[in-house]
Amino acid sequence: MPLSRLLLMTWVLLAGCDPASNAPQPKTLIVAMEGVQLDHYEALGDATNLKQRLYYASAYTGGITGLASEQPTVSGPGWITLLTGVWSNKHGVDSNAESLRVDPAFPSLFKRLRQALPTAYLSSVVNWSPINTAFLLEDTHGNDVRESGLSDVQVTERALEILGNTPGDFTFIQLGEPDKAGHDGGFDAHYQEALREADSQLGQLLDKIDERRRNHPREDWLVIVSTDHGRDYWGKGHGGVTEQEKTIFIASNKPLNEELTQPSIPEEKPGPNNLYRLAAQTSVAPTVLRHMGLALQPQWLLDGTPLLGGTGVRKARADEANARLRWHSTAKGYLTILKNGHVVAQVPAAAEQWTDPDGMDDINDYVLILDGTPAAVRNRPAGKPYGIEEVAY
């Protein structure tokens, strides 16, 4: 027996413990605030929990206008994109119609975590019922907790119970009052009060996490706070492609990587006021999966760049007019490109582009893998309405 292993076993026997028992225990809480316009949240002042206790930056939702990822800035597509890591051209929830279900090929965090961590304690507690009762009806079926249609006060109270009395491995909660206030009165005093109340509820949850970390120092907590969409100019509506409606935010108790903190502009499609330089809503799911210990798999076709750890390539996208994939990277190594599940190229990461010799006349799923991190792109052939063709596997 090697001396190093003998010494380790001796230490274990003397300590009376298993080294594995000292490993960090990843836990995640997502606080989903519906219909929050970030600049109005910031207008509450510097004493908010958002500013005092979290790292945060603007991000975007709604996909890229005019390309395959475009989706309406409404709650169904927004929340399901946040929870799956793909745009609605993959997950299939492209409106608020309660007949829609997430495509089983692109499951939510609930299903992925249940499959990978069979004993994990999973919870979804929401104000807006269709998240649980429609779009993710099957995905949340295996949850330990699935509760819907609660007031924001009840959602918060239930979350505090879960965080205080259960393993609480992955908890998703959704607060709906900011969106309701916006629909009722636009950007008025009532909307600001709803934001202040949501921030107060966030504070209660962060206090509970702090308490839990003191009592269970091996628990490694990730808290993500975000929203599903912005609002129109008056604050009453949303659903369009204006910069305001497409602007969201992503906040965390952990410092996040350069995809969030160092915006990078896609030169050929920068968006209004360079909106697409920001991290995308699709980044939340891969960030959670990585934190929870799951290796991101190419076959998952995740559109988002993880915000913890290595980014792989950034801003992966399809330039259909030139049958070209584009991305941002300063890495010195090579990346691998898959097309519909098959390796088709290995190119220098710093080249930042690759032309498909077979063109992009059909819809294809590409995956760009750099340093073990995959980034997926589904192209949309120019001149063809999306949703008619099948992916050519």
Side-chain angles (χ1 to χ4, degrees):
M1 177 181 295
L3 180 59
S4 60
R5 185 174 179 186
L6 180 61
L7 290 173
L8 176 61
M9 292 179 64
T10 301
W11 180 85
V12 170
L13 290 172
L14 291 173
C17 64
D18 180 352
S21 68
N22 289 319
Q25 300 173 355
K27 311 275 185 179
T28 298
L29 168 67
I30 294 180
V31 180
M33 298 179 177
E34 184 148 338
V36 172
Q37 198 77 59
L38 177 59
D39 56 352
H40 285 263
Y41 195 171
E42 291 177 316
L44 295 179
D46 293 334
T48 60
N49 289 286
L50 176 72
K51 288 190 174 183
Q52 290 286 322
R53 304 173 71 175
L54 299 175
Y55 305 89
Y56 76 94
S58 297
Y60 76 90
T61 186
I64 296 179
T65 303
L67 298 185
S69 60
E70 181 180 348
Q71 64 185 39
T73 51
V74 295
S75 298
W79 289 135
I80 304 309
T81 289
L82 183 143
L83 287 165
T84 59
V86 300
W87 300 109
S88 66
N89 63 325
K90 292 180 181 177
H91 64 61
V93 178
D94 57 6
S95 75
N96 285 348
E98 294 187 30
S99 59
L100 296 173
R101 301 290 183 270
V102 68
D103 187 328
F106 299 97
S108 70
L109 288 169
F110 301 111
K111 193 168 184 179
R112 290 208 188 278
L113 291 172
R114 176 58 72 216
Q115 291 172 340
L117 307 168
T119 62
Y121 196 95
L122 310 180
S123 304
S124 180
V125 183
V126 301
N127 174 304
W128 193 52
S129 297
I131 297 171
N132 287 341
T133 61
F135 315 126
L136 298 181
L137 179 64
E138 296 299 326
D139 274 37
T140 59
H141 182 72
N143 280 15
D144 298 273
V145 177
R146 178 175 65 174
E147 298 181 12
S148 311
L150 282 64
S151 70
D152 285 5
V153 169
Q154 292 171 324
V155 168
T156 304
E157 290 175 347
R158 190 69 181 94
L160 291 171
E161 291 173 3
I162 292 167
L163 295 173
N165 301 313
T166 79
D169 295 301
F170 174 68
T171 306
F172 171 82
I173 71 163
Q174 179 262 343
L175 305 174
E177 283 302 317
D179 190 60
K180 183 178 184 302
H183 285 302
D184 288 346
F187 292 136
D188 62 4
H190 183 51
Y191 182 74
Q192 293 303 111
E193 183 56 35
L195 293 180
R196 191 174 298 281
E197 181 62 22
D199 184 75
S200 174
Q201 291 159 343
L202 170 62
Q204 295 176 57
L205 295 162
L206 292 175
D207 289 345
K208 180 60 72 172
I209 296 295
D210 288 345
E211 175 187 321
R212 180 148 184 162
R213 291 171 65 189
R214 289 193 298 271
N215 294 333
H216 305 279
R218 286 188 289 109
E219 292 186 350
D220 180 13
W221 277 92
L222 171 67
V223 179
I224 294 283
V225 184
S226 192
T227 190
D228 52 343
H229 54 71
R231 314 197 70 80
D232 65 18
Y233 179 81
W234 301 272
K236 283 196 170 186
H238 53 84
V241 298
T242 64
E243 181 185 2
Q244 274 203 174
E245 291 166 281
K246 290 173 69 73
T247 298
I248 60 167
F249 69 96
I250 298 173
S252 174
N253 64 327
K254 290 178 176 288
L256 300 176
N257 65 27
E258 59 268 31
E259 176 65 6
L260 190 75
T261 62
Q262 299 175 26
S264 180
I265 302 172
E267 57 183 289
E268 81 287 358
K269 192 76 171 177
N273 289 322
N274 294 325
L275 178 69
Y276 302 136
R277 77 192 187 282
L278 304 174
Q281 190 173 49
T282 49
S283 284
V284 172
T287 302
V288 171
L289 291 169
R290 175 170 279 175
H291 173 73
M292 296 297 290
L294 279 66
L296 304 177
Q297 300 298 316
Q299 63 269 26
W300 293 348
L301 301 177
L302 298 177
D303 293 322
T305 298
L307 303 177
L308 288 172
T311 63
V313 301
R314 299 174 62 195
K315 308 304 179 191
R317 57 205 189 270
D319 175 7
E320 290 95 347
N322 297 295
R324 182 182 301 157
L325 294 178
R326 306 187 70 170
W327 62 88
H328 293 177
S329 178
T330 58
K332 298 183 183 302
Y334 280 71
L335 64 84
T336 299
I337 298 176
L338 281 67
K339 177 182 179 181
N340 301 329
H342 303 285
V343 175
V344 292
Q346 287 188 311
V347 299
E352 297 192 317
Q353 61 180 331
W354 173 77
T355 300
D356 188 337
D358 296 323
M360 294 184 177
D361 293 335
D362 298 307
I363 294 175
N364 301 286
D365 279 319
Y366 298 92
V367 182
L368 295 74
I369 306 172
L370 177 64
D371 296 333
T373 299
V377 179
R378 175 172 285 185
N379 72 289
R380 177 181 185 178
K384 295 183 181 179
Y386 185 78
I388 294 177
E389 304 90 344
E390 294 290 333
V391 177
Y393 286 95

